[in-house]
Amino acid sequence: MTTTTDRLAAVRQRIAAAAKEAGRDPASVTLVAVSKTHGADRVRELLQAGQRIFGENRVQEAEGKFPALKAEYPDLELHLIGPLQTNKAREAVALFDVIQSVDRERLAAALAKEMARAGRHPRCYIQVNTGEEAQKAGVAPADVDAFVAACRDTYKLPVVGLMCIPPVDEEPALHFALLAKMAARNGLTSVSMGMSADYETAVKLGATHVRVGTALFGERGS
Ligand SMILES: *Cc1c(COP(=O)(O)O)cnc(C)c1O
């Protein structure tokens, strides 16, 4: 039987191998374990195996399981990787250490206001809609530089990186290469890209953070 601990070791090994193949230091790649839909007991299995960085895509779901886990493991780091409504900015700033889905001015303004009020400053990534898909969140590639500048200069957000979710039916490598290039051009050091199906490709193309759910936890909803 394959345990969560075995899966974690296997994913880490594949990340390290991909990094080495690309001439990168394996320590320059951070694994974000995406625990959405999985209960706190499953998260705890990974915590016991040494994993500390987790990703959730819904504020409310994360509020249901992570406050207790964070009390148990004070070095746990929680990333918001899903769309954020402006009326949830307060909850998001209170709970998350990193917000990877900043994608519009109204949200940037709401986050800035809430960070000032709460005195808590989660690091921010700008989500880029590299495939320019109508149904998908994210800033269009042509608007990235101006939006990064607005987040930094107008809203004073602690912007550290870019994030993307490529279209499911396209070769992800092109999207990953584009995201890495846009990050470098804007002086951003963090690049969040790659999921269970393509994280090794992402590492080879410069991902500093890969977001892996299924390969660690198994299929969702089973
Ligand atoms: C669910 C999700 C992931 C993880 O996907 P897997 O294919 O299960 O690894 C990564 N990023 C985002 C934004 C997600 O919503």
Side-chain angles (χ1 to χ4, degrees):
M1 198 187 113
T2 312
T3 64
T4 309
T5 307
D6 295 335
R7 292 200 192 102
L8 175 63
V11 169
R12 282 191 180 155
Q13 205 163 38
R14 289 173 71 164
I15 289 171
K20 282 185 195 141
E21 210 179 302
R24 300 183 59 202
D25 179 0
S28 66
V29 185
T30 299
L31 172 62
V32 180
V34 177
S35 50
K36 66 188 185 202
T37 78
H38 301 292
D41 50 336
R42 302 293 315 280
V43 177
R44 204 172 275 110
E45 288 171 17
L46 278 188
L47 283 161
Q48 281 161 357
Q51 177 67 22
R52 287 293 181 274
I53 304 177
F54 293 87
E56 284 281 336
N57 70 334
R58 292 177 57 228
V59 175
Q60 209 170 346
E61 183 184 341
E63 281 181 317
K65 54 189 168 184
F66 276 93
L69 292 168
K70 279 186 144 192
E72 259 177 82
Y73 293 88
D75 58 342
L76 192 163
E77 184 178 287
L78 188 59
H79 293 230
L80 178 63
I81 60 170
L84 177 58
Q85 293 172 279
T86 46
N87 64 6
K88 286 274 168 55
R90 177 159 300 186
E91 289 85 349
V93 166
L95 180 63
F96 290 91
D97 303 292
V98 177
I99 297 174
Q100 293 202 6
S101 48
V102 181
D103 66 352
R104 58 201 189 279
E105 290 235 16
R106 250 169 57 77
L107 177 60
L111 287 171
K113 192 174 161 200
E114 184 53 28
M115 287 185 199
R117 194 199 65 85
R120 205 171 179 277
H121 299 86
R123 300 190 296 287
C124 294
Y125 291 59
I126 307 307
Q127 182 172 348
V128 185
N129 187 357
T130 56
E132 304 193 59
E133 297 170 276
Q135 80 286 7
K136 200 169 271 178
V139 179
D143 300 333
V144 168
D145 296 2
F147 187 65
V148 168
C151 287
R152 281 173 166 159
D153 304 337
T154 306
Y155 301 107
K156 315 285 184 214
L157 292 179
V159 181
V160 298
L162 300 182
M163 179 270 239
C164 79
I165 309 168
V168 286
D169 53 353
E170 283 183 32
E171 171 53 55
L174 301 170
H175 297 270
F176 295 157
L178 174 66
L179 194 74
K181 195 171 120 188
M182 291 187 294
R185 179 168 90 203
N186 283 283
L188 296 168
T189 52
S190 296
V191 185
S192 173
M193 56 191 192
M195 319 203 312
S196 290
D198 52 24
Y199 65 89
E200 289 158 290
T201 303
V203 168
K204 287 179 194 163
L205 290 165
T208 63
H209 292 71
V210 292
R211 310 177 308 266
V212 178
T214 308
L216 291 171
F217 290 99
E219 294 293 335
R220 284 179 287 275
S222 56

